[in-house]
Amino acid sequence: MMMAGAVGRPVTEAHAAWLLRQGLLPQRALARYEAYALPDLIAHAYPRVEGEARGLLVDTLGWFTILDDHFDGPAGRDLPGSRDLVRGLLDTLEERDDDQGPRAAGRQGPYPYPAGAEQDRRPGPYPGGDADRGRARDRPPTADRERDRPGNRGRDRHPGRYLERPYPERGAAQDRAPEAPAPGAPACLLSAWQDLWRRQRAGMPGAWARRAGRDWARCLTTFVTEAQYRAAATLPTVRQAVHLRRHASCLYPFMNMLERVRGEALDEALHAEREMRLLRAHVADTATLINDLYSLDREERHASPFNMIVILGREQRLSRAAAIEAVRAEVDRLGVRSDILRASLAARHPEAAWYVRETRTLVEGVRRWSSTTDRYTDTSL
């Protein structure tokens, strides 16, 4: 069993130094953070990656974990603050270097949160199914009220895309000299993200950067959507939660990183194929549900109910044990369907066989880490 620190001191020390340098954690919090064993997750999920690429993966995962914890606290109930932070993160995705970046596609303004074309429209045995997502009735409960406020009519109606004004109001207060941000504050999260996005794009073609940017945007805007639910003191339906959790889990960006760390971007036409979209959706769903199974106790302790077991149990009036069993059955079903898709894709696209194979390693890495990390088992966390 690989425990915390088993991936090697150089990576752990370099990551700790990056966290401190970026102001994401104070020195006193490092020991508790290291109990999460995030470098182990990267070692399990990307076993052949070393050096700079592994460091980038660990830094990205660490940043996302701290961001997630940020929204698990009071910030996750502060809807204007959530919008402001996510707006800044999305604005970073709009920045470009001289030779690459998402703006090459001509996109203007914050990244949208499009309805996922990767969805499987066929009904499945999972309560709520895979079918018919994205209807108007699946908007978070605050979406209509926000849209109908004076000055907001006519804005985009998709729940995750709505971020109110493109930019905050400019005022005299913004001209004052900024104070040093506290560790883990939004300013530190934004600054660290700017560093990570630059490193992720380095050496990759513009088409990959645009896809990666879109997937990060879908992921990041879920924090605003979750804040809308918290503001309304309600939970999504199972149908809503499948799509929300699929993107909130950050699995799409980490699947894109399979190409980044190998230095080999796949043809975008392959990514547009239905079977590839389904595989990526199944991988994200599977890893997310595995994580929900292991994180349930922690999320119940902290009254953080964005967990499919909680949502499923409430909607279907299932016992806790029955909801857990339903999620386990769905993990098994998705695993079988994913392997069928992998075999088909590898046969038709042998040049991409490495990618579809490593999506399976990614899921198994999440499973292995989730079963050993102290992030979910230590009641002090």
Side-chain angles (χ1 to χ4, degrees):
M1 179 182 299
M2 184 175 289
M3 301 304 291
V7 297
R9 293 293 298 172
V11 170
T12 301
E13 290 171 0
H15 178 55
W18 183 81
L19 292 171
L20 295 173
R21 186 168 63 252
Q22 294 292 335
L24 293 172
L25 284 179
Q27 181 75 45
R28 65 181 181 277
L30 274 178
R32 180 174 172 178
Y33 171 85
E34 286 175 353
Y36 295 173
L38 297 178
D40 289 358
L41 173 52
I42 296 303
H44 298 324
Y46 303 84
R48 286 168 289 278
V49 175
E50 301 291 343
E52 176 274 335
R54 177 176 283 186
L56 173 59
L57 289 167
V58 173
D59 288 350
T60 302
L61 178 61
W63 173 84
F64 183 77
T65 301
I66 293 169
L67 178 72
D68 189 51
D69 286 348
H70 174 80
F71 281 105
D72 279 346
R77 292 165 177 78
D78 175 10
L79 188 52
S82 297
R83 289 195 184 106
D84 287 345
L85 175 53
V86 170
R87 185 183 300 118
L89 300 174
L90 298 183
D91 286 348
T92 296
L93 294 171
E94 289 294 333
E95 296 171 1
R96 59 171 293 178
D97 295 333
D98 290 338
D99 59 344
Q100 65 176 356
R103 281 193 189 271
R107 190 186 311 279
Q108 300 295 323
Y111 265 82
Y113 184 87
E118 73 288 345
Q119 296 168 161
D120 183 353
R121 299 289 178 179
R122 292 172 295 175
Y126 192 56
D130 296 324
D132 197 25
R133 301 188 200 105
R135 291 185 177 181
R137 68 171 181 270
D138 290 337
R139 290 194 299 271
T142 59
D144 289 334
R145 294 201 297 272
E146 296 285 357
R147 187 191 68 234
D148 292 335
R149 286 180 180 176
N152 287 341
R153 289 182 176 85
R155 295 186 185 275
D156 193 307
R157 299 189 179 196
H158 195 284
R161 184 174 179 181
Y162 180 67
L163 296 176
E164 280 195 350
R165 297 178 300 276
Y167 297 95
E169 297 290 346
R170 303 294 179 183
Q174 291 178 301
D175 296 330
R176 300 171 188 160
E179 298 178 1
C188 297
L189 289 164
L190 177 57
S191 175
W193 171 238
Q194 291 167 343
D195 174 66
L196 289 170
W197 180 235
R198 174 187 56 78
R199 291 160 61 192
Q200 287 176 43
R201 287 162 36 222
M204 296 301 286
W208 181 91
R210 288 189 288 275
R211 169 163 42 89
R214 288 192 297 270
D215 287 338
W216 270 115
R218 291 185 179 104
C219 170
L220 296 171
T221 52
T222 62
F223 289 110
V224 176
T225 307
E226 289 185 359
Q228 289 176 328
Y229 281 113
R230 292 188 185 100
T234 189
L235 284 176
T237 65
V238 169
R239 182 180 289 110
Q240 292 167 338
V242 169
H243 192 257
L244 175 65
R245 299 285 295 136
R246 172 183 296 168
H247 291 289
S249 64
C250 197
L251 262 294
Y252 278 92
F254 276 96
M255 281 187 277
N256 294 330
M257 290 299 289
L258 290 170
E259 298 163 84
R260 163 61 175 83
V261 298
R262 186 182 173 98
E264 181 180 335
L266 298 180
D267 194 311
E268 292 304 309
L270 172 56
H271 275 289
E273 288 191 14
R274 183 175 183 274
E275 286 194 340
M276 179 62 86
R277 296 199 310 270
L278 286 180
L279 174 62
R280 280 162 58 90
H282 289 347
V283 167
D285 290 348
T286 305
T288 301
L289 292 176
I290 289 170
N291 192 259
D292 281 354
L293 286 165
Y294 285 100
S295 65
L296 177 61
D297 289 344
R298 177 181 187 267
E299 288 160 356
E300 288 176 331
R301 288 196 306 271
H302 294 279
S304 179
F306 285 99
N307 182 299
M308 186 59 76
I309 296 166
V310 174
I311 294 166
L312 181 63
R314 291 187 182 184
E315 179 173 307
Q316 303 293 328
R317 297 185 179 180
L318 300 176
S319 68
R320 187 177 188 273
I324 290 173
E325 187 57 36
V327 169
R328 285 176 175 161
E330 179 67 358
V331 168
D332 292 342
R333 184 184 76 91
L334 289 171
V336 170
R337 295 182 66 180
S338 295
D339 283 342
I340 292 171
L341 290 168
R342 288 187 184 98
S344 175
L345 285 165
R348 292 187 299 107
H349 299 283
E351 76 284 1
W354 67 269
Y355 179 89
V356 298
R357 180 177 62 249
E358 290 185 15
T359 62
R360 195 177 200 284
T361 303
L362 185 59
V363 172
E364 291 307 310
V366 170
R367 188 193 305 272
R368 187 175 178 188
W369 173 81
S370 297
S371 68
T372 59
T373 177
D374 285 344
R375 179 168 171 80
Y376 304 135
T377 58
D378 188 340
T379 57
S380 69
L381 298 178

